[in-house]
Each structure stands twice: as C-alpha cells, then as structure tokens.
C-alpha cells in the first residue's frame, strides 16, 4: 500500500499515488463514476468546488482505495487538511486550532437578492399607489386616517360623494367612458365629483357603497353582496330611482 507523507497534504498524496499508477484525472473519474473536476478539487483541497462534505468523504475514501492508499486514513487527513489548506504548516503545532470557513448554502445569495428586490418593490408600490382622475370633474379620494378639520364646511348640494361603508372594488368612468378610478375602497374612503358630470359607477358590492348629495345621504347604490356595472352618479338619483336602474352583471375590468 502506498504511503502518505507528513510534509504533504492528503490531496498531494492522492495525486502522487495516481501519477505513480499512470492514471489521469479522467481515468480516476471514470473508474469512480465522478466528474473529473471533482478529482482535481480533491487534490487541491478545494472544498468550494465540491458538493457537501458527506459526499466528498465518500469520494476521498474511494479515490484512496483506487490508488492504493488507506481509505479511512485518507478521510481523516482530508477532514483535517481541507479545513485550513493555507495553514498546513501549522497543523502539527500543539495549540493550533483550525478555523473553518463559513460556507453559505448554494443559491443563498441569489435567493436573498430576489427577496430584497421583492421587499423593495412592495414598499415602492405601497407608497406610490395613486388614483388617476379627470381634471375638473372630480376631487381626490379622502384619507380616512387624516385628522378631521375642527370646523368642517358643509358640502354644497352639487357635490356628489360615494362612500365605502365596507371594503369593495369600485370603478368610476367619465362621460366619455374613460376610467377615472379602478381600485378597492376601504371602509371610510370616499370619492367625490360634481353633479352633471355624467359619471358612472361599477362596484363589486352595491350595499358597501353609499351615495351622498352634499350632506344628504341618498342611500346605498345597490344590494349587499350584489355587483353592478354602469350606474349613473347624479344628484337627481334618489332611492326609488336607484332601484329602477337595471343592474348589469360585471364581466370585465373586475379584479381577480
């Protein structure tokens, strides 16, 4: 059986035994059914180019047996030598304790990069969501968390307000059929426009949306849990007339 030397590391001993038998990396790889790169990495103690240590120790044992070295001793030396290949000259000192390099799992860095991008995208989307509205026909959505003014001015009767009393998706279109808003209103949020603007409203839950003219509450735009499409928002619309407007089932532009 070939001998291992104290002044070399196990990778060099394996390479020397291989060369003595006239074998190439390819010969060993073919005999052990491994990649030739793994044989080279074992000889250079390059743990970064090898799979997990459990597999590698099996490769080292088989490699050593193939070239006439003691498999168990080769495994023992590989674990010792590959821990600190740049400090092999210190390994026999009585107080030397090898420091192992922390090796992150494969794919860890790309996974964390993707996660970081997802967090940044979610933050950006949450802080930049906006509502598009036609100029001169509507007023911005209210913010339910904003402090109320100490002396609110009563709204004039020609200001129409739709208010969400429960979360519901809504869509408002102008007189030309262009989408002004299309989003979910949370409880307490409102949307306002002027009378005569001929805006139409679609909603997933008619009972969740209440219509106001100025300060007067006209009532819900529909039944609880019933969706509708294309209802006019107009100051002349009162409760009986709301009931007379036919409901059109929503089939398009509805969130999933």
């Amino acid at each position: 059986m070939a001998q291992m030397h104290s002044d070399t590391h196990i990778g060099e001993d394996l390479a020397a035994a291989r060369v003595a038998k006239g074998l190439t990396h390819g010969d060993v790889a073919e005999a052990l059914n491994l990649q030739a790169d793994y044989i080279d990495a074992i000889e250079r103690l390059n743990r970064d180019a090898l799979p997990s240590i459990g597999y590698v120790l099996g490769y080292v044992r088989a490699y050593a047996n193939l070239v006439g070295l003691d498999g168990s001793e080769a495994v023992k030396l590989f674990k010792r030598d590959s821990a600190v290949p740049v400090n092999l000259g210190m390994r026999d000192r009585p107080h030397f304790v090898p420091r192992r390099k922390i090796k992150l799992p494969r794919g860890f860095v790309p996974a964390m990069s993707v996660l970081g991008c997802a967090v940044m995208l979610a933050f950006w989307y949450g802080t930049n969501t906006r509502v598009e509205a036609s100029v001169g026909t509507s007023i911005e959505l209210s913010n339910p968390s904003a402090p109320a003014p100490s002396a609110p001015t009563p709204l004039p009767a020609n200001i129409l307000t739709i208010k969400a009393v429960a979360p519901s998706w809504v869509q408002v279109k102008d007189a030309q059929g262009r989408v002004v808003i299309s989003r979910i209103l949370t409880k307490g949020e409102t949307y306002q426009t002027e009378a005569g603007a001929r805006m139409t409203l679609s909603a997933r839950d008619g009972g969740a949306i209440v219509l106001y003219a100025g300060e007067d509450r006209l009532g819900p735009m529909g039944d609880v849990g019933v969706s509708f499409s294309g209802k006019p928002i107009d100051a002349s619309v009162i409760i009986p007339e709301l009931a007379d407007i036919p409901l059109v089932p929503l089939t398009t532009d509805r969130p999933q």
Side-chain angles (χ1 to χ4, degrees):
M1 180 174 291
Q3 298 296 315
M4 289 175 275
H5 306 283
S6 60
D7 58 343
T8 59
H9 60 68
I10 183 59
E12 293 174 337
D13 292 337
L14 289 169
R18 171 181 58 78
V19 172
K21 287 185 172 292
L23 301 175
T24 65
H25 287 164
D27 295 333
V28 177
E30 184 177 358
L32 301 181
N33 195 26
L34 298 176
Q35 299 179 29
D37 291 345
Y38 285 177
I39 305 304
D40 178 67
I42 289 172
E43 292 179 353
R44 293 186 293 106
L45 305 183
N46 183 6
R47 289 274 295 276
D48 291 336
L50 294 167
S52 62
I53 188 64
Y55 290 103
V56 174
L57 296 181
Y59 300 161
V60 171
R61 184 187 301 275
Y63 186 3
N65 291 335
L66 178 68
V67 296
L69 298 179
D70 183 273
S72 298
E73 183 66 15
V75 167
K76 177 181 176 182
L77 293 176
F78 184 85
K79 288 193 289 185
R80 181 195 68 180
D81 294 346
S82 65
V84 281
V86 296
N87 294 311
L88 291 176
M90 302 175 64
R91 65 189 181 191
D92 295 324
R93 296 185 182 182
H95 301 295
F96 174 65
V97 177
R99 293 185 298 173
R100 299 188 64 86
K101 181 174 66 174
I102 297 176
K103 186 177 181 181
L104 296 174
R106 291 185 178 181
F108 177 81
V109 173
M112 290 305 296
S113 299
V114 172
L115 178 61
C117 291
V119 171
M120 291 179 64
L121 181 60
F123 176 79
W124 177 88
Y125 182 80
T127 57
N128 288 276
T129 300
R130 60 190 177 89
V131 177
E132 296 183 357
S134 296
V135 178
T137 60
S138 62
I139 302 174
E140 290 287 340
L141 288 170
S142 67
N143 184 354
S145 63
S150 56
T153 303
L155 288 174
N158 69 320
I159 297 299
L160 307 179
T161 303
I162 58 171
K163 180 178 181 180
V165 296
S168 176
W169 172 82
V170 300
Q171 182 182 85
V172 176
K173 293 183 178 181
D174 63 16
Q176 288 72 42
R178 294 172 300 192
V179 174
V180 177
I181 67 168
S182 181
R183 54 160 291 183
I184 293 176
L185 294 187
T186 60
K187 182 178 179 180
E189 280 192 304
T190 61
Y191 174 82
Q192 294 175 326
T193 185
E194 296 179 0
R198 294 189 299 166
M199 312 291 275
T200 59
L201 173 70
S202 302
R204 172 178 288 177
D205 185 352
I209 307 300
V210 176
L211 179 64
Y212 289 79
E215 300 294 332
D216 297 330
R217 182 181 187 274
L218 301 183
M221 292 294 293
D223 296 328
V224 175
V226 177
S227 61
F228 63 85
S229 177
K231 261 190 184 179
I233 308 172
D234 192 278
S236 63
V237 177
I238 58 176
I239 298 297
E241 294 178 357
L242 283 174
D244 293 337
I245 299 174
L247 300 181
V248 181
L250 291 177
T251 57
T252 60
D253 299 326
R254 182 175 176 179
Q256 301 299 317

